[in-house]
Amino acid sequence: MGPLQIVWFKRDLRSFDHRPLLEASLRGPVLPLYVVEPDLWRQPDSSARQWDFCRECLVELRADLAGLGQPLVVRIGVVEQVLERAHRQFGVAGLWSHQETGNGWTYARDLRVAGWARQHGIEWCEIPQFGVTRRLSRRTGWAKRWEERMAEEISAPPPRLTPLPGLDPAPLPMAAELGLEPDSCPGRQRGGRTQGLITLASFLDQRSRSYQSGLSSPNTAFVNCSRLSPHLSWGSLSMREVVQKSRLRRQALSVTPWRRSLQRFDERLHWHCHFIQKLECQPSLEYSELHPLTAGMRESNPERLAAWAKGYTGLPFVDACMRALNATGWLNFRMRAMLLSVASYQLWIPWRESGVHLARQFVDYEPGIHWSQCQMQSGTTGINTIRIYNPLKQGLDHDPEGVFIRRWLPELAAVPPVYLHTPWTMDHLTQARLGIEIGRAYPLPLIDWNTAAALARDRVWALRQQHGFAATADAIQQRHGSRRSGLRSSSGRRLSREPIGQLSLDLAGDAVGE
């Protein structure tokens, strides 16, 4: 057997529409490799629920590749060391993978792998899998390039992989073997391409009919949103196949509202890559405020953070959303934005602290979208409108009968509708009659929400009036702002023209959240 082509699977856990796999197979025997990296799974944004989904994807991928002739080989350790052993044992003719815009840890690891490949004279061919552009110098024309990439022909799996005799595929570890904390998530979606295809088919065939009307309320979003986000984040489905199938379905429909719903879904797939592009262009936004003058704006408050993270803030709709997320690993985008807004403004928690908790809870955690949204919803980008969600209004708008609250806060199940969103306003006689003591059975609000929101708004606006804030914001907008509706400076001057239609940012990110 001659030197091998190694296909390194990362967050692209499929054989269908996998260009690196197909291209490698045309050049010689392929070693399909997944490296379980304990240090990666020890990062604060990793969790057992994520590994469990990833593992299910890997189990199915291994079976798919075995059907082609060579099952997935799994090794535990440091990627460069695994590659070095393979090179010494077999010889490595080429290294193939998809491009990844991950967290800071994976970025540093990829730099080390690139160094290893250069040292050994091995070409590492990284192929894009999203609409993200490496080494992008300017955003103009980005949307056009995204469309071109999504229109590319979908790659079939290789017809056959040459078996590699004597090579132990090795078992996939369980979460506990990786040292991951127990992480009960009974409502989690299941991983694997089969589940992804079932979810995509049910969405396009039926559920997308009510997508536009059902994506905002958590009562309807769990059904009417696509629920494709973990399959896109872990790569059991490709972005290209989702875009193309969605557009074919839209073209076949005669019902105008349904077509409109799928158009909105298509727009959110575009925004998926728009936000990942931000992290690709500026990896530091995972850790550092995009606008430097917003650094240090908030102070740590462990008690508030813990209450928010467990769903015990004393505001029922906020707590119901957090408990639903903790139990299912998913939440629709508007409610994600509300949780971040409440943490950042009313509770004045630093965005990194609230962001790390949410990252662990999201099975569909996509670093580029997640950290961009954390900064956007906390007002640290300097270029987005300050949105301070009113959690009481959100609850009344999206759960007026309290169905969602009663489901996730059983301690309030007997509370009459008039008090359900504001249980602290119940008089003591009513509490006694219901057998509920607010402050014991369910907490009082941590703070005065309206007062806290007003104070936060004043603080943020005062910061934006500082000398030099606007000029820095203009530079950030040039680098990261969407060209879809054109850019404007803080004075209103248009900075760029690429009119493709305007979207509301508070509805973006569907491919992860909805």
Side-chain angles (χ1 to χ4, degrees), residues 39 102 107 134:
D39 285 350
Y107 177 63
R134 283 273 168 98

Side-chain angles (χ1 to χ4, degrees), residues 52-66:
D52 289 342
F53 187 95
C54 174
R55 189 180 186 279
E56 289 161 358
C57 292
L58 289 166
V59 167
E60 186 167 348
L61 174 61
R62 168 171 279 177
D64 290 345
L65 294 173

Side-chain angles (χ1 to χ4, degrees), residues 241-254:
E241 70 175 311
V242 171
V243 170
Q244 293 187 14
K245 287 184 177 181
S246 174
R247 290 178 176 180
L248 286 172
R249 175 61 171 154
R250 189 171 80 244
Q251 291 168 9
L253 288 169
S254 58

Side-chain angles (χ1 to χ4, degrees), residues 223-241:
V223 171
N224 295 138
C225 287
S226 76
R227 305 306 306 273
L228 296 172
S229 52
H231 296 287
L232 289 170
S233 293
W234 291 99
S236 50
L237 297 177
S238 81
M239 173 66 75
R240 186 181 297 108
E241 70 175 311

Side-chain angles (χ1 to χ4, degrees), residues 92-347:
V92 175
L95 177 62
W96 299 80
S97 74
H98 274 119
Q99 292 178 357
E100 178 185 13
T101 304
N103 62 13
W105 190 94
T106 64
Y107 177 63
R109 173 255 277 147
D110 282 357
L111 292 177
R112 294 195 303 271
V113 171
W116 176 88
R118 284 194 304 271
Q119 178 184 349
H120 292 281
I122 297 169
E123 182 181 5
W124 178 15
C125 185
E126 294 181 275
I127 297 176
Q129 73 162 336
F130 292 145
V132 177
T133 303
R134 283 273 168 98
R135 291 174 285 279
L136 182 70
S137 58
R138 55 199 301 251
R139 277 276 188 152
T140 301
W142 185 89
K144 181 175 181 291
R145 289 190 294 272
W146 186 90
E147 288 290 344
E148 291 171 348
R149 192 170 290 173
M150 292 304 110
E152 291 175 357
E153 183 178 357
I154 288 176
S155 303
R160 184 177 180 273
L161 294 178
T162 302
L164 303 177
L167 189 59
D168 180 17
L172 284 160
M174 303 300 289
E177 296 175 80
L178 294 177
L180 291 166
E181 294 290 330
D183 183 17
S184 176
C185 192
R188 175 180 65 80
Q189 288 178 255
R190 294 300 177 259
R193 180 164 175 80
T194 298
Q195 287 298 318
L197 290 172
I198 291 171
T199 304
L200 177 59
S202 71
F203 177 67
L204 295 181
D205 292 346
Q206 188 60 44
R207 294 185 294 111
S208 58
R209 178 189 289 270
S210 302
Y211 174 78
Q212 188 169 2
S213 61
L215 61 82
S216 294
S217 170
N219 283 312
T220 53
F222 279 77
V223 171
N224 295 138
C225 287
S226 76
R227 305 306 306 273
L228 296 172
S229 52
H231 296 287
L232 289 170
S233 293
W234 291 99
S236 50
L237 297 177
S238 81
M239 173 66 75
R240 186 181 297 108
E241 70 175 311
V242 171
V243 170
Q244 293 187 14
K245 287 184 177 181
S246 174
R247 290 178 176 180
L248 286 172
R249 175 61 171 154
R250 189 171 80 244
Q251 291 168 9
L253 288 169
S254 58
V255 182
T256 301
W258 197 342
R259 289 172 59 92
R260 190 177 300 119
S261 278
L262 282 174
Q263 176 61 35
R264 295 296 174 267
F265 174 67
D266 189 281
E267 290 168 351
R268 285 161 176 78
L269 293 176
H270 182 285
W271 282 100
H272 166 280
C273 300
H274 164 78
F275 284 110
I276 296 177
Q277 186 70 61
K278 292 174 183 283
L279 185 63
E280 176 67 33
C281 290
Q282 190 166 340
S284 64
L285 71 79
E286 178 185 351
Y287 302 104
S288 304
E289 287 77 3
L290 197 58
H291 197 301
L293 288 181
T294 64
M297 183 166 54
R298 298 175 173 91
E299 297 178 355
S300 296
N301 189 315
E303 291 183 2
R304 288 185 181 180
L305 177 64
W308 171 82
K310 293 177 181 178
Y312 285 92
T313 65
L315 196 68
F317 191 58
V318 171
D319 292 340
C321 287
M322 183 61 80
R323 294 192 202 180
L325 169 61
N326 292 344
T328 68
W330 186 88
L331 196 63
N332 60 314
F333 176 79
R334 183 174 288 277
M335 298 304 102
R336 298 184 188 210
M338 182 194 69
L339 289 179
L340 278 166
S341 175
V342 168
S344 297
Y345 293 111
Q346 284 93 339
L347 297 178

Side-chain angles (χ1 to χ4, degrees), residues 396 400-402 406 414-422:
L396 293 171
E401 303 301 320
R406 294 182 199 280
V415 174
V418 68
Y419 296 119
L420 189 56
H421 288 272
T422 56

